[in-house]
Amino acid sequence: MRMGMRGPAPSRLRRALPAAVQAACVVLFLVTVAHWHSQLPLNDAWHMPGRAMQLVVGGEFGSVALDSKTYQHNDGFHLFPVLAEALLTKLNSGWSMLSSAMLGALFWALSYLVLNAIVGRAGVSSGVRVLFALVSGLVMLGPQSLERIGAPFSVHRTLPVFLTCLVALMSMARPGGRGLASLSAQAALCAAAQLSFISGIGAWV
């Protein structure tokens, strides 16, 4: 009887291992961003959505909130990243470099988790899921990603990727005969991705 009771435990451990690896990768990434964010370059992101912070601090955001030029930058329209940075600045009663960096890093970490959930829905083995979690963790959350993803104002890069991954996951959830509500939700997420960064147009694919 005792020998028979030992079987389920290793099985449960194998099933839980991919989630444990993913959690460890995310925690390590967020801790690294929190530690190094102040030493990372801001690059062009200062203008979008960093300009939202300047407008909020200067008390000008309300008067230009409906002006499309507030969100236009080069070939992208950064509506939702700008609003996210503006709201964050408002809630903090001023701009916080750490909060801005963690906002972008959070959406990137969520993208990693959603991507792994997509692989999990494919029905692959636990071992393959662990391997994918490790490889994708190194690629997406490794040190080489910090400059682009862990810096302040990076939400305009990470939010559209998260929304695109979410659309893909929703597409897999119901492989046939999706209802109107599900399709409408996907269309809304695609529009939000496109209005976050130029790369977000890929969500429609």
Side-chain angles (χ1 to χ4, degrees):
M1 185 69 176
R2 292 178 181 174
M3 292 295 291
M5 294 176 63
R6 293 179 182 175
S11 178
R12 286 195 298 269
L13 180 60
R14 283 195 299 270
R15 289 196 297 267
L17 193 55
V21 172
Q22 294 167 34
C25 289
V26 168
V27 170
L28 183 59
F29 171 67
L30 294 178
V31 169
T32 305
V33 170
H35 182 73
W36 289 103
H37 71 279
S38 62
Q39 301 182 41
L40 298 172
L42 297 178
N43 297 321
D44 194 41
W46 177 265
H47 301 284
M48 282 294 171
R51 185 166 176 267
M53 173 271 294
Q54 293 176 299
L55 292 171
V56 171
V57 172
E60 305 171 46
F61 189 79
S63 61
V64 297
L66 299 180
D67 187 352
S68 62
K69 293 180 181 178
T70 304
Y71 313 100
Q72 185 74 39
H73 181 59
N74 292 338
D75 55 354
F77 197 75
H78 302 182
L79 175 64
F80 291 102
V82 168
L83 292 178
E85 283 286 352
L87 178 61
L88 199 62
T89 303
K90 197 72 174 177
L91 292 175
N92 287 330
S93 299
W95 184 67
S96 166
M97 181 179 284
L98 175 60
S99 296
S100 179
M102 294 304 290
L103 179 65
L106 175 63
F107 282 115
W108 191 244
L110 289 174
S111 301
Y112 164 78
L113 293 175
V114 173
L115 187 61
N116 275 268
I118 292 173
V119 173
R121 286 186 182 274
V124 298
S125 67
S126 177
V128 172
R129 291 180 62 192
V130 169
L131 179 61
F132 184 83
L134 288 171
V135 173
S136 60
L138 288 173
V139 173
M140 294 182 66
L141 310 178
Q144 76 285 348
S145 68
L146 287 181
E147 183 173 333
R148 299 288 292 174
I149 303 303
F153 306 131
S154 62
V155 65
H156 75 288
R157 299 188 185 101
T158 62
L159 178 57
V161 175
F162 166 66
L163 294 173
T164 302
C165 290
L166 204 56
V167 170
L169 181 62
M170 291 176 65
S171 298
M172 292 188 67
R174 296 180 181 179
R178 289 188 293 272
L180 179 60
S182 177
L183 290 174
S184 299
Q186 286 180 275
L189 291 173
C190 289
Q194 186 174 350
L195 294 176
S196 294
F197 197 61
I198 188 63
S199 63
I201 197 172
W204 292 101
V205 179

